[in-house]
């Protein structure tokens, strides 16, 4: 077994125009001071990484790795959540998702999608140049608005949607395969890959591609009332990335899983800082250790109550306390005896 790596922190929710969150050097120092050992870097802000340059220049990638290492940190993964989202967008969401793309491709869905696909290819090569083995992203969605079938879905709609999603992702998955990097889809409401069933539909559509892997985030499953512990038993071989994010679900006589269009503060299901919600992280870390998860435990801060800096400080310590340093021997080794074939056959009555 291998002890998982961590704690790391996903930088997306912390990046801003204020120090120490406005440059790679400052945010690395901040993360290191809190006790983090790694950072997961979003790839749309050039202050932190020039994704194209990291793909095209090994020297730049080495410099970036060295800069992060100078603070005692490692890059856990790159993230293309926003670009991955734009690989597949239903026209109903075009206006909403245009903000994820650069100005030159807005109001042009075809150009926007081509830009997103190119970004994913850059991410594959950049990850290789940075010596990374996993990459965090979203699948995008052509079907989310059809998840609750009223009016009744026409026959074949879902199958056609996954066929198209696979068509868009297969060249990207092949690119990651060529670079020796796993694509870790964060299974998430709003994506076509939002639970185990939809992941399996996608996996079938991409011919069980070896790089179509998973980013495990139990918080999204709490809000769906999905068994997030059994999920690990089902999919542990594909889990290559891990977000430590807490959540709680407290249904009322007025709302349940759909949330009644309420704010995050007033929803029955809401995200919390690690340790403040209902998730059984002790069992999660035990299961991941049992299944020999070798990746990073990455804190993702999303909380409707707690200040993000307090959440980060507490989160680093929370992950440290939960990472299990796996044993290198059996607890009953003291009573072991040497192999004796003759004695074994005698004990079997042979």
């Amino acid at each position: 077994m291998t002890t998982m790596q961590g704690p790391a922190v996903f930088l997306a929710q912390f990046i801003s125009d204020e120090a120490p969150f406005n440059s790679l050097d400052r945010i690395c120092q901040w993360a290191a001071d809190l006790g983090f050992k790694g950072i997961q870097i979003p790839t749309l802000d050039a202050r932190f990484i020039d994704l194209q340059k990291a793909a095209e220049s090994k020297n730049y990638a080495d410099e970036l790795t060295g800069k992060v290492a100078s603070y005692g940190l490692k890059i856990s993964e790159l993230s293309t959540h926003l670009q991955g989202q734009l690989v597949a967008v239903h026209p109903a969401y075009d206006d909403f998702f245009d903000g994820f793309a650069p100005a030159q491709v807005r109001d042009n869905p075809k150009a926007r999608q081509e830009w997103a696909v190119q970004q994913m290819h850059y991410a594959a090569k950049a990850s290789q140049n940075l010596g990374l083995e996993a990459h965090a992203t979203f699948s995008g969605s052509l079907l989310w608005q059809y998840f609750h079938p009223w009016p009744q879905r026409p026959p074949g709609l879902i199958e056609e949607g996954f066929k198209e999603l696979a068509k868009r992702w297969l060249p990207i998955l092949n690119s990651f395969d060529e670079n020796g990097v796993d694509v870790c889809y964060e299974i998430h409401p709003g994506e076509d890959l939002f639970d185990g069933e939809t992941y399996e539909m996608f996996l079938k559509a991409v011919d069980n591609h070896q790089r179509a892997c998973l980013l495990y985030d139990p918080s999204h499953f709490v809000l769906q009332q999905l068994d997030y512990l059994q999920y690990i038993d089902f999919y542990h071989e594909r889990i290559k990335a891990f977000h430590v994010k807490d959540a709680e679900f407290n249904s009322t006589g007025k709302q349940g899983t759909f949330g009644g269009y309420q704010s995050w503060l007033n929803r029955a299901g809401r995200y919390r800082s690690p340790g403040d919600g209902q998730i059984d992280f002790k069992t999660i870390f035990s299961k991941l250790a049992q299944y020999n998860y070798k990746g990073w435990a990455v804190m993702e801060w999303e909380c409707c109550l707690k200040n993000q800096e307090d959440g980060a400080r507490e989160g680093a310590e929370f992950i440290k306390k939960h990472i299990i340093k796996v044993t290198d021997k059996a607890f009953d080794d003291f009573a072991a005896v040497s192999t004796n074939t003759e004695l074994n056959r005698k004990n079997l009555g042979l």
Side-chain angles (χ1 to χ4, degrees):
M1 295 186 293
T2 305
T3 300
M4 77 172 67
Q5 303 175 80
V9 57
F10 186 27
L11 299 181
Q13 286 86 7
F14 296 93
I15 290 173
S16 73
D17 292 328
E18 297 181 4
F21 308 111
N22 57 353
S23 75
L24 183 60
D25 283 292
R26 290 191 179 103
I27 208 166
C28 281
Q29 186 64 69
W30 166 81
D33 288 345
L34 292 180
F36 288 106
K37 302 299 182 185
I39 54 173
Q40 187 178 87
I41 304 179
T43 54
L44 276 180
D45 193 324
R47 293 176 298 177
F48 298 88
I49 184 173
D50 183 323
L51 184 60
Q52 181 176 351
K53 194 172 181 180
E56 296 176 345
S57 171
K58 185 65 167 63
N59 287 338
Y60 171 79
D62 289 344
E63 290 170 5
L64 192 67
T65 301
K67 177 180 287 192
V68 173
S70 71
Y71 294 94
L73 300 170
K74 294 181 179 179
I75 301 171
S76 62
E77 302 92 7
L78 299 181
S79 153
T80 55
H81 283 81
L82 302 190
Q83 300 100 310
Q85 183 78 61
L86 299 182
V87 170
V89 176
H90 187 278
Y93 296 100
D94 275 337
D95 290 342
F96 293 97
F97 284 133
D98 256 357
F100 289 0
Q104 65 268 24
V105 297
R106 293 174 188 167
D107 298 318
N108 187 337
K110 183 176 184 293
R112 185 187 62 202
Q113 197 237 349
E114 291 172 349
W115 171 84
V117 169
Q118 181 60 69
Q119 286 280 297
M120 298 306 302
H121 286 294
Y122 286 148
K125 186 61 179 177
S127 294
Q128 184 197 57
N129 284 342
L130 291 164
L132 306 178
E133 297 181 353
H135 180 78
T137 196
F138 279 149
S139 68
S141 176
L142 301 171
L143 296 167
W144 175 249
Q145 65 279 1
Y146 302 117
F147 87 97
H148 193 74
W150 180 254
Q152 186 178 17
R153 294 187 295 252
L157 175 67
I158 301 303
E159 291 77 8
E160 191 64 32
F162 275 94
K163 180 180 177 181
E164 176 62 26
L165 191 69
K167 178 182 176 182
R168 298 186 186 194
W169 274 102
L170 268 171
I172 299 170
L173 288 167
N174 289 337
S175 180
F176 274 87
D177 192 30
E178 291 166 6
N179 287 284
V181 181
D182 292 320
V183 178
C184 302
Y185 295 102
E186 183 169 359
I187 305 303
H188 194 290
E191 309 303 314
D192 280 347
L193 278 59
F194 62 85
D195 61 8
E197 297 285 0
T198 52
Y199 172 63
E200 289 184 18
M201 291 170 72
F202 178 73
L203 205 56
K204 181 179 180 181
V206 295
D207 299 320
N208 291 306
H209 201 291
Q210 66 174 343
R211 298 298 177 181
C213 295
L214 294 166
L215 188 164
Y216 175 66
D217 184 334
S219 67
H220 306 302
F221 301 148
V222 169
L223 271 59
Q224 295 183 60
Q225 294 296 278
L226 182 154
D227 187 336
Y228 58 85
L229 297 176
Q230 190 179 43
Y231 179 96
I232 300 174
D233 296 326
F234 287 148
Y235 302 116
H236 59 89
E237 292 180 354
R238 292 276 183 167
I239 294 173
K240 305 295 184 179
F242 173 28
H243 272 176
V244 180
K245 187 173 75 176
D246 214 337
E248 61 186 0
F249 184 80
N250 300 298
S251 61
T252 71
K254 293 186 176 183
Q255 61 161 292
T257 56
F258 295 159
Y261 294 121
Q262 299 303 297
S263 67
W264 280 115
L265 185 63
N266 295 316
R267 289 176 66 94
R270 58 188 188 176
Y271 301 125
R272 301 297 308 277
S273 284
D276 291 349
Q278 299 169 344
I279 293 178
D280 181 2
F281 279 106
K282 188 172 184 179
T283 300
I284 287 173
F285 276 82
S286 294
K287 279 185 174 291
L288 290 175
Q290 172 190 342
Y291 288 124
N292 199 29
Y293 171 70
K294 300 177 182 179
W296 285 84
V298 181
M299 191 206 79
E300 182 181 19
W301 175 86
E302 288 184 1
C303 186
C304 56
L305 293 174
K306 182 168 286 182
N307 173 275
Q308 63 265 37
E309 293 189 54
D310 289 342
R313 183 180 63 255
E314 295 172 9
E317 191 60 30
F318 182 86
I319 293 174
K320 268 193 239 177
K321 289 181 178 179
H322 279 80
I323 289 178
I324 297 170
K325 184 178 180 181
V326 297
T327 183
D328 59 356
K329 64 178 183 179
F331 61 85
D332 55 357
D333 276 352
F334 73 94
V337 296
S338 60
T339 301
N340 186 320
T341 301
E342 184 177 342
L343 179 61
N344 287 339
R345 291 183 62 80
K346 180 181 179 181
N347 286 331
L348 293 170
L350 303 174

